[in-house]
Amino acid sequence: MFTDCYCTQFRRSANQLTGIYDEALRPVGLKITQFSLLRALERLGTATYNEVAAEAALDKTTISRNLKILINAGWVSVSVDPEQDARYRLARLSKAGVKKLRSAEPYWSVAQRRVEDGVQGFLNGPANKALLDALETLQRVALR
């Protein structure tokens, strides 16, 4: 059903996008949320849960719950900073996590191309650049 509410349309689109990526990643046993966290940890190296939450633009409770799944799978390791209290945990990709991420990247690329192909007709120039610029601009609007 059509609505002129940007928020509703973006939420609907986000749900469909999640489905595209989840479907593509299913053969390697990952969801896009898990893949995104693995990539965030790869970018950050060793990071606190708060740093991972900021990088992934999610709240700390959501990060804790999702990291627990990755830890239990053996893809993320956690240590405690000896200079902080025991609640101050540091997460990093394990070797198995790096391997899982590398095995998932070709499947993620399939979903990425599917999305780019779907929006190409609406964009002037390469879809990946224009779409990322538009999405990053929307994120900055929220910070004003």
Side-chain angles (χ1 to χ4, degrees):
M1 169 138 250
F2 176 78
T3 175
D4 61 356
C5 175
Y6 297 133
C7 185
T8 300
Q9 290 292 7
F10 273 100
R11 290 175 62 90
R12 287 177 181 170
S13 296
N15 286 336
Q16 294 301 314
L17 280 170
T18 297
I20 289 169
Y21 284 90
D22 282 350
E23 179 184 322
L25 291 166
R26 188 171 292 121
V28 290
L30 284 176
K31 294 187 172 290
I32 188 59
T33 51
Q34 297 164 333
F35 178 83
S36 296
L37 283 177
L38 292 174
R39 286 185 86 188
L41 279 169
E42 183 176 51
R43 284 189 301 274
L44 293 170
T46 300
T48 66
Y49 281 33
N50 285 337
E51 291 167 333
V52 177
E55 176 71 15
L58 295 170
D59 63 84
K60 190 175 177 217
T61 303
T62 301
I63 290 296
S64 295
R65 187 174 52 247
N66 286 307
L67 281 177
K68 185 176 181 181
I69 294 167
L70 302 179
I71 293 164
N72 290 341
W75 302 326
V76 172
S77 61
V78 176
S79 60
V80 177
D81 185 336
E83 297 179 15
Q84 301 288 333
D85 71 40
R87 293 173 298 174
Y88 190 79
R89 295 176 291 181
L90 298 170
R92 71 175 302 127
L93 274 183
S94 67
K95 287 182 181 179
V98 171
K99 184 176 178 182
K100 188 65 161 180
L101 187 55
R102 293 290 93 76
S103 71
E105 286 171 340
Y107 296 92
W108 172 85
S109 292
V110 167
Q112 192 81 346
R113 281 190 304 276
R114 183 175 172 197
V115 172
E116 288 172 356
D117 290 347
V119 299
Q120 183 62 56
F122 299 98
L123 302 173
N124 199 3
N128 59 346
K129 174 81 171 109
L131 186 55
L132 289 174
D133 286 349
L135 294 171
E136 288 175 3
T137 299
L138 284 172
Q139 292 168 38
R140 285 191 297 276
V141 166
L143 298 175
R144 290 185 198 162

